[in-house]
Amino acid sequence: MKVHLSLETGYGSISFFTSILHNVFLLYHVDIFVSVYKIDKMSFWLGETVFLLWNSLNDPLFGWISDQSYLNSNSCTHNVVEKRLKALQNNGPLLALTFLGFWLGWAYPWLQFVLCLCLYDGFLTMVDLHHSALLADLAVSSETRTKLNSRCSFFAMLGSLSVFVSYMLWHKEDLTNFRIFCLILSVISVMGFIIVCKKLRHIHAARQKQFLEGPEMKESLEGHEAAIGSSTTLVKYIKQIFSHKNFMWFAAMNLVQVFHCHFNSNFFPLFLENLLGDAVSPTVTSFLLGLSFVAPHINNLYFLYLCRKWGVYFVIRMLFGVKLLMAVFMLIVGPGNLVFLCIFIASNRVFTEGTCKLLSLVISDLVDEDYMLHNRKQAVSALIFGTAALLSKPGQTFAPLIGTWVLALQTGHDIFQSGHETGSVKAAFDGMSTEQWVNHRLGCFHLLVYVSVVCAGLQLLFWQRFTLRGANLVRVKTARRGQDHSHV
């Protein structure tokens, strides 16, 4: 059976094969080590510290390995795209295999925790880095990039449906069905990466062959190959990045964004169990959980339409403002109104994740600005994406560390010391007085709301200093189109 696949659909479908795994990882990897494998606090903190170092360094390391040659050469863009697709075809299946390592206890908890996190994040970094870099390499115009991003949102939305099933199968006392489900997800992901990436390479090669046979393109490439590119060392590149003001303001904003996204993912089950508890049915809880993963992708389709109309900068600023207003409103209403509380718990994650889906467009614009500022012969998109992660991805590690610390301060509940049969994430309410239960619930509520207020306030402050927008962005796009030889 012959599979017909467009370049745009294939690019978007890679998000499906990643998201069906990563959403499950985000939701359960902390809970399974704390509640099932009973990892101790010291091992958890040490493991997260090792993960912080690896998680921060592997993005720029892999980006440098991938794009270092382009800093000193005049490689054509079609070779860059082929290289990225081949990397996705090789690393995607390995990501799916390392995903399975979390759900079976095969070593000491501290050892398994470190190895699983580092291996999984290494292959996830390779996949995300090359997939995101393709967005900047395949197109220059904002309109084309938003269309490609829309395909990613659609397929990521389909991939998020795995959350609905995983929540129904997640039982700490018996993980058999959950483990079988994770195995099925891995098989789907492995086959998907292999088939789709192989097909995309054929499609791209055919398009490039047709495009490069044109006489005008041959003359353009001959002139391009005759040009002499200047050498850029690692030290020089670092100086260039730190002098790139828009990049640094974006990295500061994105550090907060990554922290808030992972904070919401790691502690979403805690908020559901401690704030809503038995007040809502398991069906409603499952619906809220699934909605929080699916809705950002549905909203993103509309957000991308707004981006084409008003620009990415305006839409992201609007989302920060909405997140801040909702948190302040919830703080005024208090935790007693369950309807507003349900809406806020779900929408807080929806708007935060919705912002994350737009940031690849901003980094792609920063790739264009870097290309023009430093007069590069070839855009180093993977290196820019990797450097952005170096400065912002530590928020992924800070989220569970700061979250568990603040939770203990606010509620007195240490998730590592609870041996209650319902799991260590949920406090043992049976031994609490009414006053203790109210104070515990109020502490969880404050943790949820205060984090949203602080994050939104900082992001609005940083984002106001970002100037790659409006007429400035148009000038960068126009300048790159005049020098670039890329073609979709």
Side-chain angles (χ1 to χ4, degrees), residues 39 49 76 112-113 134 164 171 203 214 235 252 270 298 348 364 397 435 460 475:
I39 189 172
T49 302
C76 297
Q112 183 177 351
F113 187 61
L134 278 174
F164 286 100
H171 300 290
I203 294 173
V235 174
L270 179 140
I298 299 175
N348 177 54
S364 297
T397 299
E435 183 179 357
L460 283 170
R475 283 194 296 270

Side-chain angles (χ1 to χ4, degrees), residues 87 144 205 267 309 326 385 396 416 438:
T144 304
F267 292 94
K309 188 174 182 180
M326 289 179 61
F385 273 91
Q396 181 175 344
F416 298 98
V438 171

Side-chain angles (χ1 to χ4, degrees), residues 221-476:
L221 285 176
E222 288 172 1
H224 185 63
E225 290 170 357
I228 300 177
S230 59
S231 177
T232 302
T233 63
L234 177 60
V235 174
K236 184 178 179 180
Y237 170 75
I238 293 174
K239 290 180 178 178
Q240 290 174 343
I241 281 295
F242 278 92
S243 66
H244 191 170
K245 293 183 179 179
N246 281 324
F247 181 88
M248 297 309 296
W249 284 116
F250 169 82
M253 179 277 293
N254 198 26
L255 172 64
V256 182
Q257 181 66 26
V258 170
F259 168 83
H260 200 199
C261 282
H262 285 82
F263 172 84
N264 285 336
S265 297
N266 294 155
F267 292 94
F268 200 84
L270 179 140
F271 295 134
L272 291 179
E273 291 189 15
N274 289 277
L275 291 177
L276 301 181
D278 299 328
V280 296
S281 66
T283 302
V284 174
T285 304
S286 177
F287 174 77
L288 287 175
L289 184 63
L291 180 66
S292 70
F293 279 88
V294 176
H297 304 294
I298 299 175
N299 282 350
N300 198 41
L301 298 174
Y302 177 67
F303 293 154
L304 288 168
Y305 164 75
L306 293 180
C307 287
R308 290 193 289 269
K309 188 174 182 180
W310 301 104
V312 180
Y313 174 86
F314 172 82
V315 175
I316 291 178
R317 185 178 64 179
M318 176 193 69
L319 290 173
F320 291 156
V322 170
K323 182 167 69 174
L324 179 60
L325 289 175
M326 289 179 61
V328 172
F329 173 78
M330 199 65 228
L331 190 61
I332 295 172
V333 173
N337 192 312
L338 289 179
V339 175
F340 283 127
L341 188 58
C342 288
I343 294 174
F344 178 73
I345 290 176
S347 60
N348 177 54
R349 177 175 162 77
V350 167
F351 282 103
T352 302
E353 289 293 328
T355 304
C356 286
K357 309 306 175 188
L358 302 177
L359 296 186
S360 59
L361 294 174
V362 181
I363 302 179
S364 297
D365 291 340
L366 289 169
V367 170
D368 297 337
E369 189 177 38
D370 172 83
Y371 178 87
M372 299 310 305
L373 282 176
H374 305 111
N375 195 29
R376 304 200 191 281
K377 299 301 178 182
Q378 172 64 51
V380 286
S381 48
L383 190 52
I384 297 295
F385 273 91
T387 308
L390 169 66
L391 301 177
S392 57
K393 219 174 181 182
Q396 181 175 344
T397 299
F398 292 147
L401 295 180
I402 294 177
T404 54
W405 175 62
V406 176
L407 177 67
L409 289 179
Q410 288 286 322
T411 65
H413 170 54
D414 188 339
I415 67 173
F416 298 98
Q417 294 178 354
S418 174
H420 195 262
E421 61 182 4
T422 56
S424 56
V425 170
K426 184 176 180 179
F429 293 143
D430 295 340
M432 289 185 181
S433 65
T434 303
E435 183 179 357
Q436 288 176 323
W437 178 82
V438 171
N439 289 334
H440 177 85
R441 189 167 179 271
L442 187 61
C444 291
F445 174 77
H446 286 159
L447 174 65
L448 172 65
V449 176
Y450 288 158
V451 167
S452 298
V453 170
V454 172
C455 289
L458 288 174
Q459 288 176 304
L460 283 170
L461 180 64
F462 295 147
W463 198 232
Q464 185 63 32
R465 306 299 298 273
F466 188 81
T467 61
L468 188 56
R469 47 191 164 101
N472 189 20
L473 180 60
V474 172
R475 283 194 296 270
V476 169

Side-chain angles (χ1 to χ4, degrees), residues 169-180:
L169 298 177
W170 174 255
H171 300 290
K172 299 169 189 176
E173 297 79 13
D174 183 7
L175 292 172
T176 303
N177 292 332
F178 180 81
R179 286 165 175 160
I180 293 173

